Amino acid sequence: QSALTQPASVSGSPGQSITISCTGTSSDVGTYNLVSWYQQHPGKAPKLIIYEVTKRPSGISNHFSGSKSGHTASLTISGLQAEDEADYYCCSFVTGNTYVFGTGTKVTVL
Amino acid sequence: EVQLVESGGGLIQPGESLRLSCTGSGFTFRSCAMSWVRQAPGKGLEWVSGIGYDGDTTHYADSVKGRLTISRDNSKTTLYLQINSLRAEDTAVYYCTKDGGSLIDTGRIENWGQGTLVTVST
């Protein structure tokens, strides 16, 4: 299975909103509402921030939100903060009971 | 608090085999599906294998099928990954992860270990 497609980088100023896209196929994003998003700071393990397209785990700020349309899922970060600067990965369940990650997006806070 | 502690990484020669281990604590290990995710230096995340709560169901990414074997011992709350015929492209940090359910069907990885580095080189 091929990796989901994400933009390599996205940037924004503090307080702005940015959106990261995640495009898959009918074998993954297009069929299942089982898309999750992970934040990874340099040298650290990833952290779950969104699951089942729109849900936030306990303790995750509501300035992270998720959505999906067709074969593309999206992560929106509202009110961008310095600590949001990190790599972000989407992940989807795939037909056949495997998972596939996105290519990853580096978020820069200007 | 959920804790996942990996071990078994290191410098390995091409063609050799390696077994990674991961001990879980702070949760009901026997009820949770588990996966291994790897990350090559400077690269993205790659899900490589998952196993259901009782070990009866195992799943692999196409890229590693046939060379990797995932297993678990619920009595020891330990997850394993056997990697055979190691190649340079297997060089990565290998993360042990806890799924959001009892089978590999949630698309949700709730917890991650700190990872163990495997370097395949002469």
Side-chain angles (χ1 to χ4, degrees), chain A residues 1 33-36 38 40 43-48 51-52 87 89 91-93 96-104, chain B residues 35 37 39 43-47 59-63 95 99-100 103-115:
Chain A
Q1 52 275 59
N33 288 325
L34 297 176
V35 176
S36 51
Y38 303 85
Q40 186 180 34
K44 301 292 187 182
K47 177 183 178 181
L48 176 68
Y51 67 98
E52 291 176 15
D87 293 327
Y89 295 90
C91 177
S92 177
F93 174 81
N97 292 83
T98 63
Y99 294 160
V100 63
F101 281 95
T103 49
Chain B
S35 288
V37 176
Q39 186 170 34
K43 302 296 185 181
L45 301 172
E46 180 186 19
W47 181 91
H59 310 280
Y60 300 93
D62 289 344
S63 61
Y95 291 104
D99 200 275
L103 298 173
I104 300 299
D105 62 2
T106 69
R108 176 167 98 246
I109 295 175
E110 291 187 332
N111 301 93
W112 300 67
Q114 283 307 301

Side-chain angles (χ1 to χ4, degrees), chain B residues 25-98:
Chain B
S25 61
F27 65 102
T28 307
F29 185 89
R30 65 180 182 275
S31 297
C32 297
M34 304 287 291
S35 288
W36 289 95
V37 176
R38 71 183 180 183
Q39 186 170 34
K43 302 296 185 181
L45 301 172
E46 180 186 19
W47 181 91
V48 293
S49 184
I51 187 168
Y53 71 102
D54 59 2
D56 282 355
T57 55
T58 58
H59 310 280
Y60 300 93
D62 289 344
S63 61
V64 300
K65 203 171 288 186
R67 289 196 306 118
L68 270 60
T69 303
I70 191 171
S71 61
R72 63 191 298 162
D73 185 337
N74 286 343
S75 68
K76 296 181 179 178
T77 67
T78 300
L79 176 72
Y80 303 101
L81 184 69
Q82 175 78 27
I83 312 175
N84 297 325
S85 304
L86 278 154
R87 309 165 178 168
E89 52 264 38
D90 293 319
T91 294
V93 172
Y94 285 73
Y95 291 104
C96 168
T97 71
K98 171 184 163 296

